[in-house]
Amino acid sequence: MPVSDTIDLLEAELEADQVIKQHGFTTLPICPFTIAKKAEILVEPKDSDEPGVSGFLVRVGNAFGIQYACHIANEGFIRFTVAHELGHYYLPGHPESLFPNGDGIHRSRSGFISHDRYERQADQFASSLLMPERLFTEAIDDAGEGFPAIQSLAELCKTSITATAIRFAKYTADPVAIIVSSGTSVEYCFLSERLKEVKGLQWLKKGDLIAPRSTTAGFNKNPANVSEARQDDGSCSLDDWFDGAPHVEMNEDVVGLGSYSKTLTVLFTDETIADEVDEYDD
């Protein structure tokens, strides 16, 4: 990741921490609606037929409002959307950039894969606000493993399964891969630090084919599995999914994401992966 991107994400994380401290939150869940109310930001639902648009930040003079698209009736999605728009409100430079002429409406799109700097920062702010590092890592210790752990954390934080899965991969001490797919193709992938250390492992990119003999491949052949949010589990080898990876057996939890029309795959193991980068290697 470029240094500028790392700095941007760190800035978003630190800003979210400051907002949490400012509003006195010490336990999960963190409520973005409470924060908006204290900041005198009106929050309301909005019927929208704009494809992919999840939320709106509205500015009139020095007054701000947040609208969230209500086409997805999911509490975690709504709370993340509100937190994302709060990111645009709080993060330095965002109001000035998004509203160069003063008043206006900014539209945000969901997805975690935006190439826009301000959208990436706002996503990071939302994740850090709703799942702050200290509280979230403490919760991970009691959550278990695989998809049940992610589901438990999502219920605790009142966050979406996808956002929670990505955060889980960031902070778990275990080898974990989070893969979001559509049909036979990868949409995006996140690896835990333990997997990032594996020498030779090549990351999955958007458009790469999913492992053809995996539980996910069989699951995605039936669209109803995805639309009806069904679940399945199985096992695979790490090198089935990632070129250059060692042959290590992984558990594979799969869940359909319903109206998102995508599939979430969680690869995990509590085994030690021997082919990790030696800290003394040059």
Side-chain angles (χ1 to χ4, degrees), residues 13 124 128 133 136 140 164-173 178 190-193 196:
E13 188 116 13
Q124 182 69 20
S128 303
E133 179 178 355
F136 193 74
I140 283 178
T164 309
I166 293 170
R167 198 73 168 166
F168 179 74
K170 179 177 176 65
Y171 289 118
T172 182
I178 301 299
F190 289 84
L191 302 181
S192 68
E193 289 301 318
K196 289 179 184 178

Side-chain angles (χ1 to χ4, degrees), residues 116-128:
D116 181 90
R117 173 197 177 194
Y118 294 103
E119 297 307 313
R120 288 199 308 272
Q121 266 203 310
D123 274 346
Q124 182 69 20
F125 176 94
S127 293
S128 303

Side-chain angles (χ1 to χ4, degrees), residues 141-236:
D141 292 339
D142 299 320
E145 59 183 10
F147 180 71
I150 292 167
Q151 190 170 37
S152 172
L153 291 165
E155 290 171 357
L156 175 64
C157 300
K158 297 186 178 180
T159 44
S160 72
I161 289 296
T162 305
T164 309
I166 293 170
R167 198 73 168 166
F168 179 74
K170 179 177 176 65
Y171 289 118
T172 182
D174 296 328
V176 170
I178 301 299
I179 302 160
V180 173
S181 63
S182 178
T184 61
S185 300
V186 171
E187 293 287 331
Y188 51 90
C189 171
F190 289 84
L191 302 181
S192 68
E193 289 301 318
R194 187 71 61 85
L195 277 188
K196 289 179 184 178
E197 295 171 351
V198 175
K199 291 188 285 188
L201 184 151
Q202 297 182 30
W203 282 54
L204 293 173
K205 305 182 297 299
K206 181 177 175 60
D208 284 349
L209 294 179
I210 62 177
R213 295 185 298 276
S214 64
T215 303
T216 304
F219 185 90
N220 283 359
K221 288 179 180 178
N222 183 357
N225 287 338
V226 179
S227 62
E228 297 178 14
R230 297 173 182 169
Q231 299 181 30
D232 199 359
D233 62 81
S235 62
C236 63

Side-chain angles (χ1 to χ4, degrees), residues 57 64 83-91 93-95 98 106-108 116 118-119 122 125:
L57 183 63
F64 288 84
H84 176 102
E85 301 308 330
L86 284 172
H88 287 316
Y89 172 80
Y90 279 108
L91 284 164
H94 280 230
L98 302 182
H106 171 73
R107 293 162 173 79
S108 295
D116 181 90
Y118 294 103
E119 297 307 313
F125 176 94

Side-chain angles (χ1 to χ4, degrees), residues 36-51:
K37 184 176 181 179
K38 289 184 178 180
E40 299 184 342
I41 300 172
L42 177 65
V43 180
E44 59 184 14
K46 176 180 173 61
D47 290 323
S48 174
D49 57 2
E50 299 182 59

